[in-house]
Amino acid sequence: MTDPRPPRLIGCVFMEQANVTCHWEAGDTSATNYTLEVERIPTMPSTTNSPRNKFNCTTSGTSCTAITNSTTRFKFCISVRAHGHIRDASSEKRCQSGRIEVMLPPVTLDSVKQVEGRPRCLNVTWSRTLGVFPVSYSEIKGGKLESHIEFTAQEQFDIQYKEVTDFTFLVCLFRPDTSYTLRLRHRYQGPKSPWGLWSNAVQGRTAEDAPSAAPPFWRRVKQTDKNGWRVISLLWKHLPHSLANGRVLFFNVTCQTESAQVLEDHGSCGDLHHTSTSCALSLPAGRCSCALTASTSAGTSPEARAWLRGASETEPPPPRQITASPLDDRNLDVRWTAPDNRSVSGFVVEWFAVREKNSSILHWELLNSSCTALVITEGVKPMERYAVSVKALYGERGAGQNRTVHNYTRQGAPSAGPEVQVHAISGGTVELSWSPVPVELLRGFIRNYTISYSPANQPAKRVFVPAHTHRYSLENLLPGTYNIFVQANTDAGAGADGPIVNVHIGDDRTHTENHCNIEV
C-alpha cells in the first residue's frame, strides 16, 4: 500500500497577540480530519520544547485557526497533519517570522489637511497603538511598511499604493478645491503579507487653484449705428468645477482695437460679479476683439478671446448645409458641412425657441474646427419650435454668416385655431380670410387648413386648403345661416377649432349683403 499523499500548506495569516489562520490543499482523500501544528521558536533555545510554545487546532476542512496570544515577532514553524484510517501524513514544515504573514491592525488616521501652494496635495497624519502594531518606528523609517490610500469624492473613487516612511506624508493625487474622504491600511514588507484592516475615515479638502481653462466666450451684435459703432452683447458660460478649480470670485473683460488700443468704455462690463454670464458695450467700426478671464482666490484663468470684424468687411461664408433632426423629446441632432476651401478656426451653434410675443433664451455652444455635429440637450422640449443656426469662425476675421433651420423635437396638434374674418358676401359666395396662429400655439409645422361650414341642423362640410393660403371663398352657398371656422393641421393631426363666424345668406342672394349678420 502506498503512503497517503500529504497536504500542502498554502499560506497563513497572523493576527498580532491573537491567533494564526492557515489554509492548505487536501492530501489523500481518505483523510478524516487535519491538525494544524504551530510551534513558536523562542529566543532562548532551552525553552524550545515548552508546551507554551506549541499551538494547534483540528478540523475536517482545509483551514483552521490556532489561538496563540503571541506577538508575531517570533519565528514560527507550521505544518499540517492529515489523519487517515490507517496512518497519518504531514505536510512539509515551514519556518519563518510571523511578521511575514501578519495582518496589521487598523491604524488611527489623525488628520488630512490641505497644503498651501500645492492644490493637488493633502498632508496625511496617522498613528498606531504600539503594543499591537508589530512594526517599529525605525522599521517604518527604513521602508518596511507599504500602504494603500483609499480616497473617495463625488464621482471619484480610487485606491493608490504608497510607500510610507513616516507618520506624516504627502499625497499628491487629487483635484483642486475638492473634498475627499480618506482611509489608510498597511502591510509589512511586501506581497507575501496580507493587507491590514482599514483605518477610520477622515475628510480633507484640497486648496484652490487658478482655473485651468478659459470660460467659453461668445458675442452678438445687437445693433449698429450710421457711423459703424456697434452695441455688442458678450456672453460666457461658467466653468465646471473640474476646470474652475475653486470658487470663481469675478470675471474681467477687456476690449481693444486691431492696433491693440485698449478701449476705455466698458459699458456694463466693468464690474462683473461671479454670477454674471453677460454684459454689453459699444465698439467702434474697425476690427476689434474682447478678452475674458475668470479668477479664483489662487489666480486667473487663461484668456478667452472673441473677434469682431470691421463694419465694412465682407462677412465670410456660412456652412454649406445644416440639418437638425429630433432624437427624442429633449434632444436635437444638429449636423453641418464646413465651408469649402476656407481656414475655419471653429464653429458656434445657436438655438432658441421661436416666439412672437415674448423673447426667449439664447443658447449657444462653441466647438472646435474638427466638429461638424452637436447633439443639443439643453433648453429644448416637445411641441416648441426652435431656430437652430451654425456659424463658422475665421480666427481674427470673426464669425461668418449663419445658416439656420427650424424644427421640433416632437410635433403636436395646434392648441388654437385661426381667427376668421368675412371680407365680402356676394350672392352665394362668402370671401374669408384668417391670420396665422401664433407660433407658440402651433406646436408643429402647418401642412394645411380645414374650413368647416354648416347650415343650421345639417352636417358640416369641409374644404382643405394649402398651408400657404390665408384667403378663400366659399361658393354656391344656399340661403341659410352658416357656422364657419378654420382649423390648422400639422403632421400630428387636426388642431383646435378656431372662433366660429356666423353668416346669414337671405333668399334674395343678390342683396344678401344687407342681411349679413356676423357673430364671433
Side-chain angles (χ1 to χ4, degrees), residues 31-48:
T32 57
N33 53 41
Y34 300 89
T35 298
L36 174 66
E37 298 174 339
V38 180
E39 182 180 1
R40 181 175 60 193
I41 308 301
T43 55
M44 298 293 292
S46 61
T47 60
T48 300

Side-chain angles (χ1 to χ4, degrees), residues 422 424-432 451-455 461-463 472-484 503-510 512:
V422 178
I425 300 175
S426 177
T429 299
V430 177
E431 185 179 354
L432 307 171
I451 304 172
S452 297
Y453 61 101
S454 58
K461 297 182 179 180
R462 293 179 175 84
V463 177
Y472 190 82
S473 294
L474 297 174
E475 300 176 340
N476 302 318
L477 298 180
L478 298 175
T481 299
Y482 290 84
N483 295 325
I484 303 173
V503 176
H504 179 75
I505 297 179
D507 290 335
D508 185 0
R509 288 184 288 172
T510 60
T512 50

Side-chain angles (χ1 to χ4, degrees), residues 12 48 82 88 144 150 160 174 215 297 335 339 347 441 476:
C12 301
T48 300
D88 296 347
K144 298 292 187 180
E150 178 194 82
Q160 291 286 340
F174 308 112
S297 63
R335 297 178 181 270
F347 297 95
L441 305 178
N476 302 318

Side-chain angles (χ1 to χ4, degrees), residues 86-134:
I86 300 175
R87 66 182 70 182
D88 296 347
S90 291
S91 69
E92 183 178 341
K93 184 177 291 188
R94 192 199 64 187
C95 298
Q96 63 184 29
S97 171
R99 287 200 298 174
I100 292 176
E101 295 179 313
V102 66
M103 178 180 286
L104 295 174
V107 299
T108 300
L109 192 55
D110 296 313
S111 66
V112 176
K113 296 181 179 180
Q114 64 180 232
V115 183
E116 186 176 355
R118 303 190 68 175
R120 297 186 180 275
C121 300
L122 288 170
N123 202 49
V124 179
T125 301
W126 63 281
S127 60
R128 76 206 193 287
T129 302
L130 189 59
V132 296
F133 197 86

Side-chain angles (χ1 to χ4, degrees), residues 305-460:
R305 186 168 292 272
W307 289 88
L308 189 71
R309 72 181 183 283
S312 61
E313 292 184 62
T314 302
E315 196 171 21
R320 282 185 289 135
Q321 64 181 21
I322 173 177
T323 60
S325 307
L327 296 177
D328 52 40
D329 280 1
R330 299 192 179 273
N331 292 277
L332 276 173
D333 182 32
V334 184
R335 297 178 181 270
W336 61 92
T337 304
D340 287 328
N341 302 322
R342 297 282 178 173
S343 178
V344 174
S345 60
F347 297 95
V348 62
V349 181
E350 297 179 317
W351 66 96
F352 59 88
V354 179
R355 297 274 191 271
E356 290 187 17
K357 297 180 180 179
N358 302 312
S359 61
S360 60
I361 297 173
L362 173 70
H363 300 272
W364 55 276
E365 194 72 38
L366 284 175
L367 302 165
N368 62 43
S369 59
S370 65
C371 291
T372 55
L374 173 70
V375 175
I376 293 175
T377 60
E378 175 189 11
V380 291
K381 61 183 181 180
M383 294 181 287
E384 184 133 39
R385 183 179 298 183
Y386 293 94
V388 181
S389 65
V390 179
K391 295 180 181 181
L393 304 179
Y394 295 88
E396 295 185 10
R397 293 182 62 200
Q401 303 170 45
N402 71 307
R403 194 175 292 279
T404 303
V405 294
H406 288 226
N407 210 343
Y408 294 81
T409 59
R410 174 165 57 86
Q411 296 190 56
S415 59
E419 186 173 328
V420 179
Q421 292 181 337
V422 178
H423 286 275
I425 300 175
S426 177
T429 299
V430 177
E431 185 179 354
L432 307 171
S433 72
W434 57 92
S435 55
V437 177
V439 68
E440 295 93 325
L441 305 178
L442 280 180
R443 307 204 294 185
F445 293 113
I446 300 301
R447 299 308 180 195
N448 53 47
Y449 292 98
T450 303
I451 304 172
S452 297
Y453 61 101
S454 58
N457 301 321
Q458 293 188 30

Side-chain angles (χ1 to χ4, degrees), residues 33 49 69 87 152 218 231 252 275 321 378 408 507:
N33 53 41
N49 295 320
N69 296 319
R87 66 182 70 182
T152 57
W218 180 230
V231 177
N252 186 64
T275 59
Q321 64 181 21
E378 175 189 11
Y408 294 81
D507 290 335

